[in-house]
Amino acid sequence: MNNINTININTSKRIEMIDITPNILQLIKEQKISEGICSIFVPHTTAAVTINENADPTVVKDMLNTLNKLIPHQNNYLHSEGNSDAHIKASLIGASEVIFIQNGKLMLGTWQGVFFCEFDGPRSRKVWIKFLTS
Ligand code: ZN
């Protein structure tokens, strides 16, 4: 039970946010975890993970539109790969999250979900999940 779990994600757009809450809940269920901490890590330099509203899908659209306005795809960047905006977005949003688990449930707020954030897709991505159980 003390291993690192991998969630594989094939993204379909250059920039998108994918709700991975069900994937994490599935792992908790499969491994019969009732109490502990869920640590989530994205091992990529142009992707990230965040927690935000998964009830109204326009929230995610507004977040992505605003990120694109703040950090445009083209902006005389020096990095020759042409994806500097994705690197900047990834660092702003961050590579990890930690959530408590109680009674077999992720202790998220009513409107919260966990989102994998793609900033330079489409690509094959992974998210590492580690459960620390008490
Ligand atoms: Zn790059």
Side-chain angles (χ1 to χ4, degrees):
M1 194 185 283
N2 220 10
N3 59 326
I4 295 171
N5 305 276
T6 301
I7 296 173
N8 294 299
I9 302 169
N10 291 314
T11 60
S12 58
K13 298 174 186 166
R14 178 155 199 272
I15 294 182
E16 64 180 317
M17 288 169 68
I18 297 167
D19 189 349
I20 58 168
T21 315
N23 308 64
I24 299 168
L25 290 172
Q26 180 70 26
L27 289 171
I28 290 171
K29 195 176 165 186
E30 282 171 4
Q31 297 178 29
K32 298 180 174 60
I33 294 163
S34 60
E35 309 290 325
I37 287 173
C38 172
S39 185
I40 305 161
F41 186 80
V42 170
H44 301 288
T45 60
T46 55
V49 63
T50 193
I51 296 172
N52 216 300
E53 176 163 342
N54 67 354
D56 181 353
T58 61
V59 172
V60 159
K61 286 180 185 164
D62 285 341
M63 288 177 72
L64 293 176
N65 287 340
T66 302
L67 275 173
N68 278 335
K69 275 184 199 162
L70 291 170
I71 309 151
H73 188 180
Q74 305 296 337
N75 196 21
N76 297 318
Y77 301 113
L78 301 176
H79 178 48
S80 62
E81 205 183 14
N83 62 354
S84 271
D85 67 311
H87 289 292
I88 296 165
K89 287 165 182 155
S91 270
L92 276 179
I93 300 299
S96 65
E97 293 287 355
V98 170
I99 307 168
F100 309 123
I101 301 167
Q102 199 169 63
N103 298 321
K105 290 178 181 167
L106 275 180
M107 295 296 287
L108 289 165
T110 305
W111 308 109
Q112 287 182 319
V114 183
F115 289 91
F116 175 82
C117 305
E118 174 62 83
F119 295 126
D120 193 29
R123 290 181 190 239
S124 293
R125 301 294 204 174
K126 56 192 169 192
V127 179
W128 289 337
I129 310 278
K130 174 120 180 154
F131 299 113
L132 302 173
T133 53
S134 51

